[in-house]
Amino acid sequence: MSYRLCLVLCVAATLGCAETETSTPVENDSQINKNRESLSPVEGSSRVSPPKLSEAEAVDTSTTPGAVDQAENPSVGDGPLRTESAVVVSGESEIPKSGSPQTQSAFSRLMTRVHQAIDQERWEEAGHLLDETLQLDPKSVAAQDLRQLVTKQLDRLHQQDSLQKFAKTMHAEDWAEAHKIAANLKTQDPAVLEQIQRAETLIEAEQLLDRLVANPERLSRPSIQTQVSRLRNLIENVDLGSRVGEKLERLNELSQRWTSPVMVNLTSDGYTNVILRPGRNLGRFRTQTVQLMPGEYELIGRRDGFREIRRSLRLNPNGDPKTVEIKAIERF
């Protein structure tokens, strides 16, 4: 009996389920998709909100070093926090951040020292202090104006010092050093410009004088006498000073000696052609007198059918007249 009752109940339950499925409308695809989208990324799971902290717990969390920064910025490590009061480290000294109270205080102290240095005309010190001041505040108009003032004063002092050194070297007749100093002078003073021109002239003149005096035997040559004439034109109306003046006197003395002609009496046979080197062709003669400048010469005698003959001739300055025989007498 009980078995049959159970069987009947099962059949009835099966028929009831079939009717329920037939009466329930089928959901379309769009409804299914919406249901799927409403689910959380984890299938079948519901999202759980984190528990709210109490005020005490919130306070404890905020006081933990690095907690807030690590929550907002995961890249922040466990190191100390960076704050707005941090300073920029440069070398061994720390320069406060621009616009900070430390910068303003340092700037004020430096400006005070700058004014004190300017009042006492310590221009070099003022310049160094202003360089430090402008590092703290490069846009400070007051510091820039003072820097221009100090620069002008330093230039003026440098010019005065250069003028004193120039005058000292000119007095010492150090023309080359005076010319170097004059290259940095900024002046329109006619007297100073005249001294600068004098230094340039004396440098050139002394160099030429040294070359001429070192080789006096060349003074008898026409080309060298041309250089002597140019030198005399160069130094005309110029204050030579003692050293260059002494060199010029020495040159004049040597030039007079080496440009005073010496009498030379030549004898030959009338058949030999005589040539003077350096100089000219003297031709054939029995006797001839020539005036020659001191120096080294050579006499050459040539005659057809005879061997050539040569005679060396040295004439010293202010020397006595000389007699030289030159004729070709040895046959081939």
Side-chain angles (χ1 to χ4, degrees), residues 125-151:
E125 179 184 347
H128 294 312
L129 290 172
L130 280 168
D131 290 340
E132 297 181 23
T133 304
L134 288 171
Q135 287 181 357
L136 293 178
D137 189 359
K139 297 182 179 181
S140 172
V141 177
Q144 292 175 0
D145 292 342
L146 288 176
R147 193 66 183 90
Q148 292 180 0
L149 171 65
V150 171
T151 300

mmCIF file of all heavy atoms in Angstrom, residues 125-151:
data_model
loop_
_atom_site.group_PDB
_atom_site.id
_atom_site.type_symbol
_atom_site.label_atom_id
_atom_site.label_comp_id
_atom_site.label_asym_id
_atom_site.label_seq_id
_atom_site.Cartn_x
_atom_site.Cartn_y
_atom_site.Cartn_z
ATOM 1 N N GLU A 125 85.747 92.829 -2.811
ATOM 2 C CA GLU A 125 84.905 92.093 -1.879
ATOM 3 C C GLU A 125 83.438 92.249 -2.236
ATOM 4 O O GLU A 125 82.658 91.282 -2.192
ATOM 5 C CB GLU A 125 85.160 92.589 -0.454
ATOM 6 C CG GLU A 125 84.316 91.890 0.598
ATOM 7 C CD GLU A 125 84.529 92.468 1.990
ATOM 8 O OE1 GLU A 125 85.506 93.234 2.173
ATOM 9 O OE2 GLU A 125 83.719 92.167 2.894
ATOM 10 N N ALA A 126 83.039 93.459 -2.599
ATOM 11 C CA ALA A 126 81.641 93.697 -2.984
ATOM 12 C C ALA A 126 81.256 92.865 -4.190
ATOM 13 O O ALA A 126 80.143 92.329 -4.276
ATOM 14 C CB ALA A 126 81.424 95.184 -3.258
ATOM 15 N N GLY A 127 82.169 92.734 -5.137
ATOM 16 C CA GLY A 127 81.876 91.929 -6.320
ATOM 17 C C GLY A 127 81.652 90.470 -5.993
ATOM 18 O O GLY A 127 80.708 89.838 -6.495
ATOM 19 N N HIS A 128 82.498 89.909 -5.110
ATOM 20 C CA HIS A 128 82.314 88.513 -4.716
ATOM 21 C C HIS A 128 81.000 88.312 -3.951
ATOM 22 O O HIS A 128 80.292 87.313 -4.167
ATOM 23 C CB HIS A 128 83.490 88.064 -3.855
ATOM 24 C CG HIS A 128 84.798 88.022 -4.593
ATOM 25 N ND1 HIS A 128 84.944 87.418 -5.822
ATOM 26 C CD2 HIS A 128 86.029 88.523 -4.275
ATOM 27 C CE1 HIS A 128 86.191 87.532 -6.231
ATOM 28 N NE2 HIS A 128 86.873 88.212 -5.316
ATOM 29 N N LEU A 129 80.684 89.242 -3.079
ATOM 30 C CA LEU A 129 79.439 89.127 -2.319
ATOM 31 C C LEU A 129 78.218 89.213 -3.240
ATOM 32 O O LEU A 129 77.223 88.494 -3.043
ATOM 33 C CB LEU A 129 79.377 90.228 -1.255
ATOM 34 C CG LEU A 129 80.364 90.099 -0.088
ATOM 35 C CD1 LEU A 129 80.324 91.354 0.782
ATOM 36 C CD2 LEU A 129 80.044 88.862 0.749
ATOM 37 N N LEU A 130 78.285 90.078 -4.224
ATOM 38 C CA LEU A 130 77.156 90.206 -5.156
ATOM 39 C C LEU A 130 76.994 88.952 -6.007
ATOM 40 O O LEU A 130 75.875 88.594 -6.374
ATOM 41 C CB LEU A 130 77.358 91.434 -6.045
ATOM 42 C CG LEU A 130 76.994 92.769 -5.383
ATOM 43 C CD1 LEU A 130 77.493 93.934 -6.202
ATOM 44 C CD2 LEU A 130 75.485 92.862 -5.175
ATOM 45 N N ASP A 131 78.090 88.290 -6.324
ATOM 46 C CA ASP A 131 77.974 87.028 -7.054
ATOM 47 C C ASP A 131 77.202 86.001 -6.226
ATOM 48 O O ASP A 131 76.341 85.288 -6.749
ATOM 49 C CB ASP A 131 79.367 86.492 -7.394
ATOM 50 C CG ASP A 131 80.066 87.341 -8.442
ATOM 51 O OD1 ASP A 131 79.370 88.078 -9.163
ATOM 52 O OD2 ASP A 131 81.307 87.267 -8.534
ATOM 53 N N GLU A 132 77.493 85.940 -4.928
ATOM 54 C CA GLU A 132 76.748 85.031 -4.053
ATOM 55 C C GLU A 132 75.285 85.455 -3.931
ATOM 56 O O GLU A 132 74.377 84.612 -3.910
ATOM 57 C CB GLU A 132 77.393 84.997 -2.666
ATOM 58 C CG GLU A 132 78.819 84.456 -2.642
ATOM 59 C CD GLU A 132 79.394 84.437 -1.244
ATOM 60 O OE1 GLU A 132 78.606 84.418 -0.279
ATOM 61 O OE2 GLU A 132 80.633 84.460 -1.101
ATOM 62 N N THR A 133 75.063 86.759 -3.858
ATOM 63 C CA THR A 133 73.692 87.262 -3.727
ATOM 64 C C THR A 133 72.851 86.903 -4.942
ATOM 65 O O THR A 133 71.699 86.475 -4.827
ATOM 66 C CB THR A 133 73.719 88.794 -3.534
ATOM 67 O OG1 THR A 133 74.535 89.117 -2.409
ATOM 68 C CG2 THR A 133 72.318 89.340 -3.315
ATOM 69 N N LEU A 134 73.423 87.064 -6.118
ATOM 70 C CA LEU A 134 72.679 86.767 -7.349
ATOM 71 C C LEU A 134 72.466 85.273 -7.540
ATOM 72 O O LEU A 134 71.583 84.875 -8.301
ATOM 73 C CB LEU A 134 73.423 87.358 -8.551
ATOM 74 C CG LEU A 134 73.361 88.890 -8.646
ATOM 75 C CD1 LEU A 134 74.287 89.410 -9.728
ATOM 76 C CD2 LEU A 134 71.918 89.341 -8.926
ATOM 77 N N GLN A 135 73.266 84.452 -6.897
ATOM 78 C CA GLN A 135 72.984 83.021 -6.930
ATOM 79 C C GLN A 135 71.716 82.693 -6.152
ATOM 80 O O GLN A 135 70.957 81.797 -6.530
ATOM 81 C CB GLN A 135 74.169 82.243 -6.351
ATOM 82 C CG GLN A 135 75.390 82.202 -7.254
ATOM 83 C CD GLN A 135 76.526 81.408 -6.659
ATOM 84 O OE1 GLN A 135 76.421 80.920 -5.532
ATOM 85 N NE2 GLN A 135 77.617 81.281 -7.394
ATOM 86 N N LEU A 136 71.479 83.430 -5.071
ATOM 87 C CA LEU A 136 70.258 83.209 -4.290
ATOM 88 C C LEU A 136 69.031 83.765 -5.013
ATOM 89 O O LEU A 136 67.960 83.159 -4.979
ATOM 90 C CB LEU A 136 70.397 83.866 -2.910
ATOM 91 C CG LEU A 136 71.439 83.265 -1.967
ATOM 92 C CD1 LEU A 136 71.489 84.054 -0.665
ATOM 93 C CD2 LEU A 136 71.122 81.800 -1.684
ATOM 94 N N ASP A 137 69.207 84.933 -5.635
ATOM 95 C CA ASP A 137 68.067 85.555 -6.327
ATOM 96 C C ASP A 137 68.568 86.220 -7.609
ATOM 97 O O ASP A 137 68.894 87.404 -7.628
ATOM 98 C CB ASP A 137 67.401 86.600 -5.418
ATOM 99 C CG ASP A 137 66.096 87.117 -6.014
ATOM 100 O OD1 ASP A 137 65.739 86.677 -7.133
ATOM 101 O OD2 ASP A 137 65.433 87.950 -5.366
ATOM 102 N N PRO A 138 68.669 85.455 -8.701
ATOM 103 C CA PRO A 138 69.196 86.014 -9.954
ATOM 104 C C PRO A 138 68.344 87.142 -10.524
ATOM 105 O O PRO A 138 68.836 87.933 -11.329
ATOM 106 C CB PRO A 138 69.203 84.799 -10.895
ATOM 107 C CG PRO A 138 69.131 83.599 -10.009
ATOM 108 C CD PRO A 138 68.341 84.031 -8.818
ATOM 109 N N LYS A 139 67.071 87.243 -10.128
ATOM 110 C CA LYS A 139 66.178 88.248 -10.691
ATOM 111 C C LYS A 139 66.122 89.527 -9.861
ATOM 112 O O LYS A 139 65.346 90.432 -10.177
ATOM 113 C CB LYS A 139 64.770 87.663 -10.825
ATOM 114 C CG LYS A 139 64.686 86.484 -11.779
ATOM 115 C CD LYS A 139 63.268 85.974 -11.905
ATOM 116 C CE LYS A 139 63.172 84.803 -12.870
ATOM 117 N NZ LYS A 139 61.770 84.308 -13.008
ATOM 118 N N SER A 140 66.944 89.624 -8.848
ATOM 119 C CA SER A 140 66.913 90.816 -7.990
ATOM 120 C C SER A 140 67.439 92.029 -8.751
ATOM 121 O O SER A 140 68.601 92.069 -9.163
ATOM 122 C CB SER A 140 67.770 90.581 -6.739
ATOM 123 O OG SER A 140 67.891 91.777 -5.991
ATOM 124 N N VAL A 141 66.594 93.016 -8.964
ATOM 125 C CA VAL A 141 66.984 94.228 -9.693
ATOM 126 C C VAL A 141 68.005 95.026 -8.889
ATOM 127 O O VAL A 141 68.978 95.567 -9.440
ATOM 128 C CB VAL A 141 65.743 95.088 -9.996
ATOM 129 C CG1 VAL A 141 66.140 96.391 -10.685
ATOM 130 C CG2 VAL A 141 64.761 94.315 -10.860
ATOM 131 N N ALA A 142 67.819 95.083 -7.578
ATOM 132 C CA ALA A 142 68.749 95.835 -6.730
ATOM 133 C C ALA A 142 70.152 95.242 -6.799
ATOM 134 O O ALA A 142 71.146 95.958 -6.929
ATOM 135 C CB ALA A 142 68.243 95.846 -5.288
ATOM 136 N N ALA A 143 70.240 93.910 -6.725
ATOM 137 C CA ALA A 143 71.550 93.262 -6.793
ATOM 138 C C ALA A 143 72.171 93.439 -8.169
ATOM 139 O O ALA A 143 73.390 93.646 -8.297
ATOM 140 C CB ALA A 143 71.408 91.777 -6.457
ATOM 141 N N GLN A 144 71.378 93.385 -9.239
ATOM 142 C CA GLN A 144 71.894 93.574 -10.588
ATOM 143 C C GLN A 144 72.442 94.994 -10.785
ATOM 144 O O GLN A 144 73.505 95.191 -11.382
ATOM 145 C CB GLN A 144 70.803 93.284 -11.617
ATOM 146 C CG GLN A 144 70.400 91.816 -11.686
ATOM 147 C CD GLN A 144 69.232 91.588 -12.616
ATOM 148 O OE1 GLN A 144 68.704 92.526 -13.222
ATOM 149 N NE2 GLN A 144 68.814 90.338 -12.745
ATOM 150 N N ASP A 145 71.715 95.999 -10.274
ATOM 151 C CA ASP A 145 72.184 97.384 -10.390
ATOM 152 C C ASP A 145 73.495 97.589 -9.634
ATOM 153 O O ASP A 145 74.421 98.253 -10.125
ATOM 154 C CB ASP A 145 71.117 98.345 -9.858
ATOM 155 C CG ASP A 145 69.876 98.378 -10.748
ATOM 156 O OD1 ASP A 145 69.980 97.935 -11.910
ATOM 157 O OD2 ASP A 145 68.815 98.840 -10.277
ATOM 158 N N LEU A 146 73.569 97.016 -8.436
ATOM 159 C CA LEU A 146 74.810 97.135 -7.664
ATOM 160 C C LEU A 146 75.960 96.408 -8.358
ATOM 161 O O LEU A 146 77.101 96.873 -8.313
ATOM 162 C CB LEU A 146 74.605 96.568 -6.254
ATOM 163 C CG LEU A 146 73.737 97.408 -5.315
ATOM 164 C CD1 LEU A 146 73.535 96.686 -3.989
ATOM 165 C CD2 LEU A 146 74.370 98.783 -5.067
ATOM 166 N N ARG A 147 75.659 95.299 -9.009
ATOM 167 C CA ARG A 147 76.716 94.565 -9.720
ATOM 168 C C ARG A 147 77.268 95.402 -10.869
ATOM 169 O O ARG A 147 78.484 95.405 -11.126
ATOM 170 C CB ARG A 147 76.176 93.231 -10.261
ATOM 171 C CG ARG A 147 77.314 92.287 -10.717
ATOM 172 C CD ARG A 147 78.115 91.891 -9.514
ATOM 173 N NE ARG A 147 79.246 91.056 -9.809
ATOM 174 C CZ ARG A 147 80.470 91.475 -10.092
ATOM 175 N NH1 ARG A 147 80.721 92.782 -10.156
ATOM 176 N NH2 ARG A 147 81.470 90.641 -10.278
ATOM 177 N N GLN A 148 76.417 96.113 -11.581
ATOM 178 C CA GLN A 148 76.885 96.994 -12.651
ATOM 179 C C GLN A 148 77.755 98.120 -12.098
ATOM 180 O O GLN A 148 78.806 98.468 -12.669
ATOM 181 C CB GLN A 148 75.693 97.571 -13.414
ATOM 182 C CG GLN A 148 74.917 96.542 -14.218
ATOM 183 C CD GLN A 148 73.743 97.149 -14.958
ATOM 184 O OE1 GLN A 148 73.500 98.361 -14.865
ATOM 185 N NE2 GLN A 148 73.005 96.327 -15.691
ATOM 186 N N LEU A 149 77.324 98.702 -10.970
ATOM 187 C CA LEU A 149 78.107 99.767 -10.341
ATOM 188 C C LEU A 149 79.488 99.265 -9.935
ATOM 189 O O LEU A 149 80.508 99.908 -10.207
ATOM 190 C CB LEU A 149 77.355 100.298 -9.117
ATOM 191 C CG LEU A 149 78.133 101.280 -8.213
ATOM 192 C CD1 LEU A 149 78.444 102.564 -8.968
ATOM 193 C CD2 LEU A 149 77.335 101.573 -6.950
ATOM 194 N N VAL A 150 79.536 98.090 -9.295
ATOM 195 C CA VAL A 150 80.804 97.541 -8.833
ATOM 196 C C VAL A 150 81.702 97.185 -10.023
ATOM 197 O O VAL A 150 82.910 97.407 -9.993
ATOM 198 C CB VAL A 150 80.549 96.311 -7.940
ATOM 199 C CG1 VAL A 150 81.850 95.579 -7.632
ATOM 200 C CG2 VAL A 150 79.864 96.732 -6.651
ATOM 201 N N THR A 151 81.097 96.649 -11.090
ATOM 202 C CA THR A 151 81.885 96.298 -12.280
ATOM 203 C C THR A 151 82.540 97.537 -12.892
ATOM 204 O O THR A 151 83.715 97.507 -13.290
ATOM 205 C CB THR A 151 80.985 95.613 -13.323
ATOM 206 O OG1 THR A 151 80.429 94.422 -12.756
ATOM 207 C CG2 THR A 151 81.777 95.254 -14.565
#
